[in-house]
Structure formats: structure tokens, C-alpha cells
Amino acid sequence: MFEVLPRMAPDALLGLIVAHRNDTNPKKVDLGVGIFKDEEGSTPVLSSVKKAEKIIWQTEETKSYIPPGGTPSFIAALTNLVLGADHKVIKESRVRTVQSPGGCGALRAAAEIINKANPEAVVWASNPTWANHVPLLSGAGLMMKEYAYYDYDSHSLSFDAMMNDLKAAKEGDVVLLHGCCHNPSGADLSDMQWEALVPMLKEKKLIPLIDVAYQGFGRGIQEDAYGLRLMAANLDEVIITVSGSKNFGLYRERTGAVIYIAADAKTAEIIGSQAEKIIRGIWSVPPSHGAAIVDVILNNPELKAEWEGEVAYMRRRITDMRALFVKASAEQDMDFSFINDEYGMFSFLGITPQQVKILASKYAIYMAVSSRISIAGINPKNVEYLVASLKSVIRSS
Ligand code: LMR
């Protein structure tokens, strides 16, 4: 049976981790996968996470299963973090949140439920979007189409083109939006653009699927939730997928959730039962450790304050590295000033795949073939080398 299967190429993004690790050049720079790095290029466990793990180690009494939908105290705390504790949909009991193995598990579980409720639904995704959105959503059987989003020439969001493309969406279709820190472009919807999307989605009866993988990495923990909270307040049905990989630094612990918002409390209850059934058929019950950490942090005022400080530090460092890179490039007569207008972990340099290849092979500087860079890979020690290498590759090709 297996002989019919062709060999698959390794995942292009995850392959960058290996390529960088195996490179012996002492000057190597990792701008590949979206993993936060400090000034030393390390990704240490957050201090709030370490403290929460200690509490769990001291108090956890069993490793028996948690419920398929997840641990209730984690679910409540995460829902409050994302939606805001006083959001009207919480008060109206229109929300059901289920725990998932990371943001990827959340996206797959959401796709399964969309497919079950409306197999005709097309998921509209931004062009470009995070590469893994496609297999995660289409793998559940959903059809996908693209809407224009990022204009590579002007290095900015093309909102008019986006609105225009979404005119072709039909009732019941799903619009995949990045809650903040658009991956891969860093070009975020402004508050006004979120406000303009709401009546359009409402009128055309489109359902937003909002992926929130970087809450706190853009403008702030509350500010980054503006768009999704607005949609939840104004639309009958919204699906939000959440990842704790980046803002809690829990990458390998696979920590996430799906927040389903339904038109009324009764439907929300039904969605909860459907979501649990789907989970039972995929991963049965979710992994517990990462969610237990988030649960402890968000329900302990001291740890929560410490975590908020750590998120603020990560956000500041990324913003500072954007500014440093733009300044260092300007000193080398290169204009990357648009990078200062973008948010979150990523931006496109706007160079060619060939130039990306040369940067890796000749200078040991690694980034996605699209020229997406993970900003946290920049630090004061490597920025000069990065900019000089970039200049030489751009000028010689
Ligand atoms: C990225 O886009 O680099 C991250 O979200 C990591 C991943 O899984 O692709």
C-alpha cells in the first residue's frame, strides 16, 4: 500500500530551523520561523511560566484525562483574555470555548465544524496568508479562495482590493482574518478597516474566522483584540482560534483554543456539544500541561501581572528591532521604512527568491523564500552584518 505514496518535500518553514542549526558560520542569522528570541538569540522559558510550572508540580494530583472540551478554569480565563471579561457575548451566554492542541489544533477543529455545518462554505484567505492555514483548513475538506490583501509594490495593505474581492463571496462563506500581527506581512487592518468590514460581513452574511496567534505582540494585549471584539459585538456568528505558543512562549506545549460565538445561548450550547464530538474523533481529549500553565498564570493576579510585563518586553523588543533595522538600512542607503509601520513578528523584505537563496548560501542568513523575516532574529550584534550582506546581495543582482 505505501508504495503509491510519493516522497514529500520537508516543510519549508520548519526546514529553516534545521538549515540554520546545521550552518557552521559563526555569523549566521536566523530570521526564519516565528519564534521570539532575546538579544542573545535565545528563547528562554518565561519566568511567569516557570513559576506556574512549579505550582503545578506541587499541586497537581493526577494525570487522569481532562474533559474533551478542556479544563473549565482555563477556558474561562482564556475567553476573558481574548474577548474581555465584560464582553456582551459572554453575558448573553453565546460563547463556547474548547481547548485545543495549539492554534493548529484550533484551526483544524474549527474547519471540521464549519464543514459539518456547511460543506458548501468557501474559506476566503488573505493573499498571502500563513502557509499552514491552507492544509489545516482544506485538509478538513473545505474549499479555499484568496482575497487580495498585501500590495508588494507599495509594501502596504490593499484594503480596497480586499473589499472588492470579497464581493464574490456567497452567503455562508467564511472569511479568515488575522486578529493582529498579520503573518506573513505584518500589515494589520486598522481599527477603521475592521469597522468597515463589519457591515459588509453582516450584509453578505459571511462568517469571520479570526486567527489570533500573536495577541500582545502588536499594539498591546487589549489593543490587539479590538477587531475581534468588535466583530463579536456586532455579528451573530464568529469563530476565533487562539494560540498560546507565542504570547506565553509555550510553542512545544501545544496550547490553544477555539472560541465559538453563536446567535443565541441555545445554539452556543449545541455548538459546544458538536465541538466536543469532533474533538473526541480527532485527538479525543486535549493535552493538559500548557493549558494548565496558562490557567495558573491568568488566575493568579501576581503571575498575570508578571506575564503582562513579559509580553510587553517581547513586544517592545520586536518594535525596537524594527526601528534598529530600518535605521541601519537607511545608513546603508536602503529604504525599509515601511517595516516601522508594521506589527508583530514578521515583515517582507521584498527581495527575490534568488536573493533569499544567496543570503542563505553565502552569508548564512536564513529567511522564508517569500523574503518574510522574523524580526526577533535581529539584535544589536547582528544588525550591521545583516544590513551589509543585504546591501551587497541587492546591489550585485
Ligand atoms: C511561523 O509562521 O513561522 C510560525 O507560526 C511557526 C509555524 O508553525 O509556521
Side-chain angles (χ1 to χ4, degrees):
M1 146 176 111
F2 296 141
E3 67 276 5
V4 302
L5 298 173
R7 179 188 296 277
M8 303 299 284
D11 183 83
L13 265 180
L14 298 182
L16 292 169
I17 300 178
V18 182
H20 175 263
R21 192 193 302 135
N22 292 344
D23 198 315
T24 52
N25 185 335
K27 289 186 163 172
K28 63 185 176 180
V29 181
D30 180 12
L31 307 177
V33 177
I35 300 168
F36 178 81
K37 290 177 195 296
D38 64 15
E39 301 239 322
E40 306 305 320
S42 309
T43 310
V45 181
L46 298 187
S47 159
S48 54
V49 166
K50 277 275 184 212
K51 289 178 186 164
E53 284 187 308
K54 192 169 172 198
I55 293 173
I56 293 165
W57 180 71
Q58 285 167 337
T59 58
E60 190 177 54
E61 283 171 354
T62 178
K63 291 286 184 193
S64 175
Y65 298 119
I66 60 169
T71 306
S73 49
F74 161 78
I75 285 168
L78 193 77
T79 307
N80 290 346
L81 178 75
V82 174
L83 286 172
D86 55 358
H87 200 289
K88 73 167 192 161
V89 290
I90 298 178
K91 291 188 183 134
E92 292 167 0
S93 306
R94 288 170 48 208
V95 186
R96 277 297 175 283
T97 302
V98 289
Q99 192 171 320
S100 65
C104 289
L107 282 155
R108 172 51 68 95
E112 296 283 345
I113 231 172
I114 294 165
N115 198 30
K116 200 167 174 196
N118 179 10
E120 302 303 314
V122 170
V123 179
W124 293 77
S126 61
N127 177 16
T129 194
W130 178 45
N132 218 23
H133 275 148
V134 179
L136 282 168
L137 298 171
S138 64
L142 290 169
M143 228 222 311
M144 293 187 73
K145 287 188 181 166
E146 283 179 350
Y147 58 83
Y149 186 82
Y150 184 76
D151 177 36
Y152 291 88
D153 293 330
S154 63
H155 306 287
S156 63
L157 204 163
S158 37
F159 190 66
D160 290 347
M162 171 181 179
M163 292 294 262
N164 199 42
D165 281 0
L166 287 175
K167 281 187 192 151
K170 64 178 188 314
E171 181 178 333
D173 279 358
V174 171
V175 181
L176 174 63
L177 298 162
H178 298 224
C180 63
C181 308
H182 186 268
N183 179 3
S185 73
D188 276 1
L189 292 160
S190 68
D191 290 357
M192 268 171 66
Q193 287 165 338
W194 281 104
E195 285 156 21
L197 271 171
V198 169
M200 193 272 277
L201 295 182
K202 202 171 200 164
E203 192 185 316
K204 288 187 66 69
K205 298 193 166 55
L206 304 176
I207 296 143
L209 166 58
I210 309 176
D211 192 20
V212 188
Y214 298 91
Q215 188 180 357
F217 275 37
R219 296 161 215 233
I221 292 171
Q222 305 307 324
E223 293 84 343
D224 288 349
Y226 178 82
L228 72 91
R229 289 177 186 176
L230 182 80
M231 296 233 157
N234 289 285
L235 299 171
D236 282 349
E237 295 182 343
V238 180
I239 305 172
I240 301 164
T241 50
V242 187
S243 167
S245 294
K246 324 286 168 155
N247 55 2
F248 286 90
L250 287 170
Y251 308 90
R252 66 172 63 172
E253 299 297 353
R254 314 311 297 139
T255 308
V258 194
I259 302 175
Y260 296 99
I261 294 159
D264 52 54
K266 188 163 160 261
T267 315
E269 218 181 296
I270 294 170
I271 295 290
S273 70
Q274 285 282 347
E276 289 193 9
K277 189 64 88 189
I278 282 169
I279 285 168
R280 179 71 172 140
I282 317 182
W283 54 75
S284 183
V285 295
S288 157
H289 189 65
I293 292 166
V294 172
D295 189 354
V296 169
I297 292 174
L298 294 180
N299 285 304
N300 175 320
E302 249 172 63
L303 281 187
K304 188 174 180 204
E306 180 172 358
W307 169 74
E308 285 167 351
E310 293 186 289
V311 174
Y313 154 73
M314 292 193 278
R315 176 172 64 247
R316 256 195 319 272
R317 205 187 101 64
I318 292 172
T319 312
D320 289 352
M321 289 309 103
R322 287 182 177 279
L324 183 69
F325 175 75
V326 170
K327 185 166 169 279
S329 312
E331 284 163 7
Q332 295 283 340
D333 300 322
M334 294 186 293
D335 181 11
F336 286 104
S337 51
F338 63 90
I339 285 180
N340 272 335
D341 302 331
E342 296 170 343
Y343 292 96
M345 289 204 109
F346 308 110
S347 279
F348 284 124
L349 286 182
I351 60 174
T352 66
Q354 182 59 18
Q355 289 168 331
V356 169
K357 219 167 153 183
I358 298 170
L359 278 169
S361 59
K362 198 165 167 193
Y363 297 97
I365 297 172
Y366 292 89
M367 66 188 70
V369 68
S370 61
S371 85
R372 184 198 81 166
I373 55 168
S374 180
I375 305 282
I378 303 174
N379 60 51
K381 280 178 252 169
N382 68 18
V383 71
E384 298 302 333
Y385 174 69
L386 169 62
V387 166
S389 309
L390 192 54
K391 182 174 180 178
S392 109
V393 169
I394 290 174
R395 296 286 144 95
S396 62
S397 49

